[in-house]
Amino acid sequence: MEKKLSRESIIMAMLNASFTYSAGAASLSDIAGALGVKKASLYNHFTGREDIVAKTTDFCADYMRALSFVPNNIRELVQKYPAAAVFKGIARSFFKMHTQEPLFQIYTFVHSQKFFCAKSAAVAKECSQRLCSQVVHILELLGEAEKIALVSKNEVMDLAKRYSSVLQDLLCDYLVERKILVMQNPASGEGELFALPENSLVLKDLDQMTVSFFANVG
């Protein structure tokens, strides 16, 4: 007897198959095999592979929209620590957040698909813009706390664009590094990706970049 399926379980199977084989190579057979069902069962929930990809992209967009670079205690942090220390802590947490399931698979799916799918490209662009606006918010709070000197809104936006751009490049490098480690050490259960040993040169580069960036601000 086949397992009971849901649209979300199929989407998660698609994400996992894409993480292993790439979104373009993940087949209906891969998805069905991971779920322990016949391929025909997938058609009870989706019209076909393209429909699964489209709905998976929608799922990823909704999930990523709920993420925030700004922690709940940001006002306390900007009062307590220097600007570089605030951003170092937040950025490291942001990076490690992306190695947890299902965000690791979601990020990999969207950013590999963005070169082939307009919808995925739009999701990636929206996430980039949201990150930049959240960096602006933190910079403004640091300015109010007199931790950095900001002259104008244009200057704040320029700083946010530059920092978030480098941040995203380093995040991509970090996840490539982590994905290689994951593929060499297959996870046995939820959360195992995050539990793998940490020895990242990218995180060291992130810290150095943040210190250098804020040494030139204010």
Side-chain angles (χ1 to χ4, degrees):
M1 183 176 179
E2 288 194 349
K3 297 178 182 178
K4 185 176 180 180
L5 284 181
S6 67
R7 289 171 67 88
E8 185 166 331
S9 67
I10 295 171
I11 286 171
M12 290 309 303
M14 177 65 185
L15 287 171
N16 287 328
S18 297
F19 186 83
T20 302
Y21 306 113
S22 84
S27 67
L28 292 180
S29 296
D30 293 325
I31 297 168
L35 292 168
V37 301
K38 294 179 180 178
K39 187 166 66 173
S41 299
L42 303 177
Y43 290 94
N44 294 326
H45 299 272
F46 298 95
T47 59
R49 188 182 181 284
E50 288 186 4
D51 190 30
I52 294 176
V53 171
K55 297 302 190 300
T56 299
T57 305
D58 291 338
F59 174 85
C60 293
D62 290 341
Y63 194 99
M64 295 175 84
R65 286 186 189 112
L67 299 177
S68 179
F69 185 69
V70 183
N72 293 331
N73 64 336
I74 184 59
R75 291 186 180 276
E76 177 185 341
L77 292 176
V78 300
Q79 293 293 332
K80 190 174 181 180
Y81 299 106
V86 170
F87 271 93
K88 278 174 63 176
I90 295 174
R92 271 186 168 252
S93 295
F94 190 68
F95 275 35
K96 291 184 179 181
M97 178 197 310
H98 280 76
T99 65
Q100 293 180 301
E101 300 175 274
L103 184 54
F104 201 166
Q105 293 94 324
I106 287 171
Y107 185 95
T108 303
F109 179 86
V110 169
H111 284 270
S112 61
Q113 278 287 96
K114 70 182 180 182
F115 298 102
F116 308 99
C117 172
K119 182 182 281 190
S120 290
V123 173
K125 182 177 181 180
E126 180 185 338
C127 289
S128 178
Q129 292 172 336
R130 189 182 310 110
L131 174 62
C132 184
S133 68
Q134 291 174 352
V135 171
V136 166
H137 178 58
I138 298 173
L139 289 171
E140 290 175 340
L141 291 176
L142 285 165
E144 291 173 8
E146 299 183 346
K147 297 299 179 71
I148 56 175
L150 299 174
V151 177
S152 67
K153 288 187 177 295
N154 286 339
E155 181 187 27
V156 174
M157 180 57 71
D158 180 62
L159 289 171
K161 285 180 178 178
R162 287 192 283 119
Y163 185 81
S164 59
S165 177
V166 177
L167 190 70
Q168 289 175 97
D169 288 342
L170 287 174
L171 176 60
C172 183
D173 291 343
Y174 179 64
L175 293 182
V176 168
E177 176 188 90
R178 297 297 289 176
K179 188 174 189 297
I180 291 171
L181 184 59
V182 168
M183 300 309 290
Q184 292 172 343
N185 301 273
S188 59
E190 187 173 353
E192 291 295 320
L193 300 179
F194 183 69
L196 287 170
E198 182 66 81
N199 183 26
S200 174
L201 293 176
V202 179
L203 290 181
K204 294 177 182 177
D205 289 343
L206 172 65
D207 289 347
Q208 292 172 358
M209 180 275 289
T210 302
V211 170
S212 298
F213 185 87
F214 284 98
N216 299 315
V217 175

